[in-house]
């Protein structure tokens, strides 16, 4: 071995990677690599054209993290890279059967492909939740390299039918971890550090337990670990990242904060989300301007640990949603991606209720503009639900807010929490505000109308495409749902949702909503593809003014088969 070649860490017993490397935010010329290490160190990323890219770790709750920012890359680059910790190579690992990890910048010729999904239970020995769509996707990509079967298109004509293989971006739209539905491996970890019967029983309790959740989700399967190292990944949380029904209502929040264990849970959940997910969503410029990032790093340098700063920030973010923005937007060529936080930024007070607080909605309103070829709006919760469920949730909101009296309001709240009735339809005012924005964009009232305005969502554990039919717009407006990556509905839950997706089922719930004086929705839509209830991953392909989508399901642990496809516009 050449003296300049770093030696694998496993042979030296030196500093090692706990998680990562994860390829996170990318643009045409920049890239972000995120890692967790087992001790403080210098993290260096090397490769042709990368230059001098290194960063020292910072420490939170005894865990060590680094973000390495790389600039000056070429648009559309595919740069193999390695990671060294204190000069010793840590990635790739010896004996790996996966191709070299590459930094993949955006731009260049060809379509933009966004693969997405949600609701992924961690691998477990019993395989109770079926084949993992994310792992099968990774194996599929590893087997094809950078070439789609049949080759890449040579010009700007129509892309080949099978050119869906390598995504430019992986978007995970919620429930990356399940803090309240634990695997046996996670339960064993908890038993090793506290009495598992003490509240919160069979749930994670604090930051430390969250770190183990992330390790199980992103390290245990080598295919998934490789995928995250080589495909740029963006995320947003949903309820199970914190707890089922997170921020369902003002009543729910009061109930949770009355629990003596909740403070450690919510600060651990939000703080770990900030570390493991949110930091990588940010551009280098946004991260450099973020006062929390600067304060955590400064506290880590001065006192050895930034935990106090992060915990205070996390508690404030929960109690004062307007103090933090988790939503973000990125422009990629002719496409704008808006990722909306529909969980932490809710407005829930004794007298007001909104899916987004005032500041968050103003931000979203400002991002919803024309002049793009395509506008993608990602929300963990589907904006356009099957009509029966939409009417049921809008009726329930009116009932819980007192439309049928105080006694019925208490019953409505109980039903809301028991049946998870807390999607956009259960925030009727917010649904209407977003509809007004989308229609304005799609009619060309905010600049030239895009070819498509498409919502990307997960959460509900089945997949479909719904199209807006009224009012008429220049843009095609649709909802694409892909869920779950690994956590399918079974038994009566699957049956109930299959019945709910039938067009005839909507009439009784529409009547209930009408009797509760809920005005008709400002949009009309219908499901045109699906529903499919299997584990799945979807890819949206944007090519000039064309948009199409493909859903795939894992036929085996290492391969995908097509579940459905559609032309959006």
């Amino acid at each position: 071995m050449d003296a300049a070649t770093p030696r694998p860490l496993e042979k030296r017993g030196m500093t090692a990677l706990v998680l990562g490397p994860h390829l996170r935010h990318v643009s045409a010329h920049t890239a972000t690599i995120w890692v967790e290490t087992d001790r403080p160190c210098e993290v260096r990323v090397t490769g042709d054209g990368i230059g001098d890219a290194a960063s020292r770790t910072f420490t939170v709750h005894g865990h060590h993290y680094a973000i390495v920012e790389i600039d000056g890359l070429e648009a559309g680059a595919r740069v193999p890279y390695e990671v060294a910790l204190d000069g010793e190579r840590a990635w790739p690992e010896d004996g790996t059967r996966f191709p070299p990890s590459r930094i993949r910048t955006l731009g260049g010729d060809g379509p933009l492909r966004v693969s997405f999904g949600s609701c992924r239970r961690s691998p477990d020995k019993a395989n109770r939740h079926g084949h993992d769509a994310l792992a099968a996707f990774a194996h599929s990509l590893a087997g094809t390299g950078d070439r789609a079967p049949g080759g890449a298109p040579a010009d700007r004509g129509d892309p080949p039918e099978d050119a869906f293989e390598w995504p430019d971006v992986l978007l995970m739209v919620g429930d990356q971890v399940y803090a309240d539905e634990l695997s046996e491996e996670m339960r064993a970890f908890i038993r090793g550090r506290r009495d598992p019967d003490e509240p919160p029983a069979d749930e994670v309790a604090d930051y430390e337990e969250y770190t183990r959740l992330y390790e199980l989700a992103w390290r245990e399967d080598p295919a998934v670990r490789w995928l995250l190292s080589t495909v740029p990944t963006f995320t947003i949380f949903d309820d199970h990242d914190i707890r089922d029904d997170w921020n369902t209502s003002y009543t729910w929040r009061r109930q949770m904060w009355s629990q003596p264990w909740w403070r450690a849970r919510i600060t651990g959940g939000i703080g770990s989300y900030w570390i493991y997910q949110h930091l990588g969503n940010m551009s280098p410029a946004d991260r450099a301007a973020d006062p929390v990032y600067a304060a955590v790093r400064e506290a880590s340098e001065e006192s050895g640990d930034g935990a106090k700063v992060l915990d205070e920030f996390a508690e404030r973010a929960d109690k004062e949603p307007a103090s933090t923005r988790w939503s973000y937007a990125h422009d990629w060529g002719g496409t704008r991606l808006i990722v909306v936080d529909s969980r932490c930024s809710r407005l829930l007070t004794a007298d007001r209720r909104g899916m987004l607080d005032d500041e968050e909605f103003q931000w979203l309103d400002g991002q919803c503009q024309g002049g793009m070829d395509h506008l993608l709006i990602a929300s963990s919760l589907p904006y356009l639900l099957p009509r029966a469920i939409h009417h049921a949730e809008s009726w329930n909101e009116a009932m819980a807010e007192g439309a049928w009296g105080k006694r019925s309001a208490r019953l409505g709240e109980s039903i809301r929490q028991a049946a998870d009735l807390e999607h956009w339809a259960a925030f009727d005012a917010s649904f209407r505000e977003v509809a007004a924005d989308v229609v304005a964009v799609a009619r060309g009232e905010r600049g030239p109308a895009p070819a498509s305005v498409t919502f990307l969502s997960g959460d509900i554990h089945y997949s479909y495409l719904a199209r807006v039919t009224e009012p008429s717009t220049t843009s095609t407006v649709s909802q694409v749902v892909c869920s779950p990556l690994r956590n399918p509905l079974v038994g009566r839950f699957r049956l109930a949702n299959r019945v709910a997706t039938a067009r005839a089922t909507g009439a009784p719930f529409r009547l209930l909503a009408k009797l509760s004086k809920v005005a008709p929705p400002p949009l009309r839509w219908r499901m045109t593809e699906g529903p499919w209830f299997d584990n799945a991953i979807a890819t949206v392909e944007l090519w000039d003014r064309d948009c199409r989508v493909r859903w795939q399901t894992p036929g085996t642990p290492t391969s995908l088969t097509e579940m459905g496809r559609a032309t959006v516009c």
Side-chain angles (χ1 to χ4, degrees), residues 90-224:
W91 187 267
E93 296 179 321
D94 278 353
T96 179
R97 57 194 178 95
F98 292 96
S101 300
R102 298 174 185 268
I103 293 172
R104 301 170 183 275
T105 58
L106 299 177
D109 296 331
L112 174 71
R113 300 187 185 102
V114 179
S115 294
F116 79 100
S118 77
C119 307
R120 179 175 177 265
R121 294 291 296 269
S122 299
D124 64 310
K125 295 178 181 178
N127 195 33
R128 293 173 297 163
H129 306 288
H131 302 319
D132 182 1
L134 201 61
F137 189 52
H139 283 290
S140 178
L141 295 180
T144 59
D146 285 335
R147 296 191 309 275
D155 54 39
R156 294 288 290 175
D158 291 336
E161 287 296 311
D162 54 4
F164 277 83
E165 297 307 310
W166 270 99
D168 295 283
V169 166
L170 173 64
L171 178 63
M172 297 200 289
V173 288
D175 295 345
Q176 279 68 260
V177 294
Y178 278 72
D180 54 350
E181 297 179 16
L182 307 183
S183 65
E184 287 303 320
E185 292 81 358
M186 190 64 207
R187 292 188 182 101
F189 176 78
I190 290 174
R191 286 195 298 269
R193 66 187 302 265
R194 64 178 174 91
D195 183 350
D197 294 326
E198 291 184 358
D202 210 34
E203 300 182 29
V204 301
D206 55 20
Y207 186 94
E208 182 64 28
E209 292 177 10
Y210 265 102
T211 66
R212 180 58 177 161
L213 268 186
Y214 282 108
E215 190 174 343
L216 288 170
W218 292 344
R219 180 186 173 92
E220 295 303 298
D221 191 317
V224 171

Side-chain angles (χ1 to χ4, degrees), residues 259-387:
Q259 304 300 318
W261 51 267
W262 180 244
R263 182 182 183 279
R265 169 63 167 276
I266 192 64
T267 57
I270 292 179
S272 62
Y273 173 82
W274 185 85
I275 290 281
Y276 287 85
Q277 300 195 52
H278 181 66
L279 282 177
N281 294 329
M282 303 169 73
S283 70
D286 288 339
R287 210 162 30 244
D290 182 17
V292 181
Y293 184 54
V296 168
R297 291 185 62 88
E298 182 179 357
S300 174
E301 292 175 3
E302 292 181 352
S303 66
D305 200 302
K308 183 175 184 295
V309 172
L310 186 61
D311 290 350
E312 290 174 351
F313 158 75
E315 184 171 358
R316 184 172 64 254
D318 177 68
K319 290 183 174 179
E320 303 171 22
S323 67
T324 304
R325 175 167 298 124
W326 304 102
S327 302
Y328 54 94
H330 300 304
D331 290 349
W332 298 325
T335 298
R336 171 169 292 177
L337 172 70
I338 306 171
V339 182
V340 181
D341 163 28
S342 52
R343 281 292 175 188
C344 196
S345 296
R346 294 183 178 184
L347 176 63
L348 298 170
T349 67
D351 55 355
R352 291 189 66 196
R353 173 179 169 82
M355 180 66 85
L356 308 176
D357 61 41
D358 295 336
E359 291 80 0
E360 195 77 7
F361 182 77
Q362 289 175 6
W363 175 86
L364 176 60
D365 179 75
Q367 296 296 326
C368 288
Q369 300 295 327
M372 311 294 290
D373 290 326
H374 303 278
L375 182 64
L376 302 177
I377 304 174
S379 164
S380 64
L381 303 174
Y383 179 71
L384 300 176
L385 289 164
R387 295 296 294 272

